[in-house]
């Protein structure tokens, strides 16, 4: 057993999340975490809502509410949505806790003391109409490097280079289209060039990364510049230095505080568990493994910026230094990035109504139907397109007609003819071969999930489903009413294979897996689920919802023999067949 940290990208709390978001950070991390727990590893899966930054303040002003009121609302919406998907967080928290503030400030102070945070006078973008700072991402213009005409003020999504807003050609505000004014202001910068050699050495030591992630990261390190980590802003974590701590116009930049959330959430989890130092097992043990999950637009923060922060905190850059209060912290084992999911051939866009939010999806369809689509057809290594026609086909032809029908007809026949899991007679070579083929799936499917090849993993599991369907059809137990022993043997072999396959599909389809476990006569928890718990801030008494759960129970990643004689009842369908009319209905919603 090893300690495995699943660090999941933090959804921004300025609105509900759509299915494109959870295809990148949510479902892949949960599949991996569920599998690793079942395989016997001690997993800590953490994340929360990212709640600071100018975009929050801008939106709050537009809605006539305070930033805190806005993030309180969307924190709860996001928690409920992720709960509905069954994402098994050990702790899903938020960045507005006192615990998070303290961890961020400790990291800042140590980096400053080690010489990796430096003060500089720079140009800040100001809105002429409001006098407020414009966040980098709210400024667009032409990239001075590649000429892309919709580059943001923090980076160009076309060439991937980091930018400052004043570098853009013809900059403009995305809020109202006006040309920003640039004024001198003092800020603190993370001195990335002083960490470049250490970053390169660390990246060269990475094994098993997706090639696009490693290549992209190495290219970024070749041309690093100091990056601002404070902003002219009222909403955020205060700067923990003399003369800055009590200022209302300077705050730590949201990108800096958000990535530190992985550590602060781990510490909060440990404090809430009654073992305040337990987090160290995932962060300081060289044998522990740390996997970070996000969409490709966040690669730079997880493969370059966050490792640089950790190296600087550890005192392992060109200026040396020594670790702070937390001690030396381990860097990521792997950065697992998904590509983009589009919808009906277009980019997701709330303003253009090219979107379906998670809660709207779950109000009309089953969570496992979405989880299945993301696993089998999601943007694991290439941009992919969600269409309602393809969603319908995957649901009806594969989940319902393939897996669901196999489960339903096998249990139904056994319940009708035996009322229990039948006792088998002698097994034929075909019986033994099928069971051996299915049992081998524990190794093949598990190996693929552990290497973040989830599309191939669920494809292999569904291939085995097809093998069992073929065995069932060729054996035709419904024709053997005069030979009950052979009928019972075939049904036993089929049900045993279904039980194994259900275990293999549990990380992907946990809601259905629990249901199938019960249809096979099982009791207790097979696929543990998260709970929403209302808690008080550990340091200031404010209350908020978290996601957490007890994942020490449930199935293990191993074949388990079905007990013969266990009572079976007539089953009800596990999955819902969808009417083709949903395609027209959903497309109409996109254009209404």
């Amino acid at each position: 057993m090893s300690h495995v940290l699943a660090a999941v990208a933090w959804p921004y709390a300025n609105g509900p999340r759509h299915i494109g978001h959870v295809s990148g950070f949510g479902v892949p991390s949960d599949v991996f975490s569920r599998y690793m727990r079942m395989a016997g590893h001690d997993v800590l899966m953490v994340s929360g809502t990212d709640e600071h930054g100018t975009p929050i303040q801008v939106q709050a002003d537009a809605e006539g509410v305070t930033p805190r009121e806005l993030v309180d609302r969307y924190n709860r919406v996001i928690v409920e949505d992720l709960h509905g998907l069954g994402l098994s967080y050990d702790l899903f928290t938020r960045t507005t806790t006192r615990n998070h503030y303290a961890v961020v400030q400790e990291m800042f102070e140590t980096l400053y003391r080690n010489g990796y945070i430096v003060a500089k006078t720079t140009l800040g973008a100001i809105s002429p109409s409001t006098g407020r700072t414009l966040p980098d991402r709210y400024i667009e213009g032409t990239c001075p490097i590649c000429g892309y005409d919709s580059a943001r003020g923090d980076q160009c999504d076309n060439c991937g280079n980091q930018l400052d807003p004043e570098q853009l050609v013809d900059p403009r505000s995305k809020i109202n289209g006006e040309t920003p004014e640039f004024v001198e202001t003092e800020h603190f910068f993370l001195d990335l060039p002083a960490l470049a050699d250490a970053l390169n050495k660390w990246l060269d030591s990475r094994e098993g990364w997706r090639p696009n992630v490693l290549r992209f990261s190495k290219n970024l390190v070749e041309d690093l510049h100091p990056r601002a980590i404070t902003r002219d802003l009222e909403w955020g974590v205060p700067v923990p230095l003399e003369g800055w701590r009590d200022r209302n116009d300077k705050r730590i930049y949201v990108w800096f505080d958000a990535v530190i959330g992985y550590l602060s959430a781990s510490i909060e989890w440990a404090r809430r568990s009654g073992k305040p130092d337990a987090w160290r097992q995932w962060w300081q043990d060289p044998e522990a493994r740390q996997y970070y999950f996000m969409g490709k637009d966040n690669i730079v923060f997880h493969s370059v910026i966050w490792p640089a922060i950790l190296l600087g905190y550890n005192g392992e850059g060109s200026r040396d230094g020594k670790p702070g209060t937390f001690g030396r912290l381990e860097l990521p084992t792997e950065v697992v990035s998904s590509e983009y999911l589009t919808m009906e051939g277009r980019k997701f866009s709330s303003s253009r109504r090219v979107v379906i939010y998670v809660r709207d999806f779950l109000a009309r369809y089953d969570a496992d139907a979405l989880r299945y689509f993301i696993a089998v057809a999601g943007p694991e290594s290439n941009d992919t397109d969600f269409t309602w026609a393809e969603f319908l086909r995957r649901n009806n032809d594969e989940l319902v007609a393939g897996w669901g029908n196999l489960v339903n007809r096998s249990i139904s026949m056994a319940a009708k003819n035996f009322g229990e899991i039948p006792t088998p007679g002698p097994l034929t070579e075909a019986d033994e071969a099928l069971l051996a083929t299915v049992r081998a799936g524990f190794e093949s499917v598990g190996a693929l999930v552990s290497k973040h090849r989830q599309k191939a993993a669920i494809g292999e599991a569904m291939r085995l489903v097809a093998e069992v369907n073929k065995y069932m059809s060729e054996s035709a137990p419904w024709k053997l009413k005069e030979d009950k022993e052979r009928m019972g043997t075939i049904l036993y072999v089929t049900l045993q294979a279904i039980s194994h396959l259900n275990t293999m599909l549990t990380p992907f389809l946990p809601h259905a897996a629990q249901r199938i476990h019960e249809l096979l006569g099982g009791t207790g928890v097979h696929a543990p689920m998260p709970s929403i718990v209302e808690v008080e801030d550990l340091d200031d008494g404010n209350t908020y919802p978290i996601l957490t759960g007890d994942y020490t129970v449930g199935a293990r990643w191993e074949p388990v023999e079905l007990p013969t004689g266990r009572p079976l009842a007539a089953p009800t369908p596990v999955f819902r067949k969808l009417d083709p009319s949903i395609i027209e209905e959903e497309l109409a919603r996109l254009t209404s």
Side-chain angles (χ1 to χ4, degrees), residues 348-363:
F348 279 93
S349 171
S350 299
S351 61
R352 298 185 182 94
R353 298 184 63 82
V354 184
V355 69
I356 180 166
Y357 295 112
V358 172
R359 68 175 35 210
D360 293 335
F361 191 102
L362 296 181

Side-chain angles (χ1 to χ4, degrees), residues 566-580:
R566 177 191 282 172
L568 294 175
T572 54
V574 178
F575 303 105
R576 287 190 294 156
K577 186 174 183 179
L578 301 176
D579 190 281

Side-chain angles (χ1 to χ4, degrees), residues 249-373:
D249 62 337
K250 301 283 186 181
R251 289 291 184 270
I252 291 176
Y253 211 157
V254 62
W255 66 260
F256 181 84
D257 95 73
V259 293
I260 294 172
Y262 301 116
L263 176 60
S264 69
S266 301
I267 292 172
E268 181 184 346
W269 168 83
R271 293 178 65 191
R272 291 194 180 281
S273 71
K275 301 175 182 177
D277 285 328
W279 64 271
R280 297 182 184 277
Q281 299 172 92
W282 287 269
W283 286 89
Q284 295 186 315
D285 181 357
E287 299 301 315
R289 290 176 282 169
Q290 302 84 18
Y291 298 92
Y292 290 73
F293 294 83
M294 80 293 304
K296 67 178 177 181
D297 54 333
N298 273 324
I299 291 175
V300 61
F301 296 107
H302 295 84
S303 67
V304 176
I305 303 296
W306 178 228
I309 292 171
L310 291 168
L311 287 165
Y313 183 85
N314 293 340
E316 295 171 355
S318 63
R319 294 197 175 100
D320 297 325
K322 60 181 181 180
T325 303
F326 300 136
R328 188 187 182 280
L329 303 171
E330 291 293 324
L331 275 65
T333 301
E334 186 170 354
V335 172
V336 186
S337 166
S338 297
E339 302 295 302
Y340 289 141
L341 185 72
T342 55
M343 187 171 188
E344 298 291 344
R346 293 180 287 173
K347 288 180 67 175
F348 279 93
S349 171
S350 299
S351 61
R352 298 185 182 94
R353 298 184 63 82
V354 184
V355 69
I356 180 166
Y357 295 112
V358 172
R359 68 175 35 210
D360 293 335
F361 191 102
L362 296 181
R364 300 196 286 273
Y365 309 105
D366 295 335
D368 280 358
L370 178 58
R371 291 178 64 110
Y372 180 75
F373 183 91

Side-chain angles (χ1 to χ4, degrees), residues 72 75-77 79-80 92 94 268 272 531-537 541-548:
D72 280 351
N75 163 261
R76 188 169 295 276
V77 167
V79 164
E80 291 172 354
F92 185 90
R94 60 194 308 187
E268 181 184 346
R272 291 194 180 281
S531 299
I532 300 175
V533 180
E534 299 289 332
V535 299
E536 286 190 355
D537 190 301
N542 286 331
T543 60
Y544 57 97
I546 62 170
L547 279 179
T548 188

Side-chain angles (χ1 to χ4, degrees), residues 450-464:
S450 70
K451 294 174 182 176
H452 310 291
R453 296 183 59 198
Q454 295 182 10
K455 191 175 292 188
I458 198 166
E460 172 65 6
M462 293 303 285
R463 184 190 70 80
L464 295 175

Side-chain angles (χ1 to χ4, degrees), residues 410-441:
S410 303
I411 296 175
S412 179
M413 195 176 303
K416 179 179 178 181
N417 288 279
F418 297 93
E420 61 183 29
I421 295 174
T423 300
L427 300 188
T428 65
E429 285 187 12
D431 300 336
E432 297 279 13
L434 179 80
L435 290 175
T437 297
V438 172
R439 280 195 298 267

Side-chain angles (χ1 to χ4, degrees), residues 128-192:
S129 61
T130 67
R132 277 188 168 168
T133 300
L134 277 171
D136 293 348
R137 70 172 66 180
Y138 272 56
I139 302 172
E140 276 190 346
T142 300
C143 176
I145 299 171
C146 72
Y148 179 58
D149 62 3
S150 295
R152 297 199 312 264
D154 56 352
Q155 71 179 54
C156 175
D157 288 337
N158 186 57
C159 66
N161 281 288
Q162 298 175 49
L163 298 172
D164 291 319
E166 67 271 17
Q167 294 177 279
L168 294 174
V169 179
D170 297 325
R172 61 193 176 276
S173 167
K174 290 179 65 177
I175 298 173
N176 55 21
E178 64 186 0
T179 301
E181 295 178 359
F182 292 97
V183 299
E184 285 193 347
T185 181
E186 186 178 17
H187 281 293
F188 288 100
F189 285 69
L190 180 64
D191 191 358
L192 290 171

Side-chain angles (χ1 to χ4, degrees), residues 417 476-488:
N417 288 279
W478 52 87
K479 295 180 180 179
L480 300 174
K481 293 184 179 179
E482 303 303 316
D483 187 352
K484 290 285 272 230
E485 182 182 70
R486 182 60 191 154
M487 174 193 272

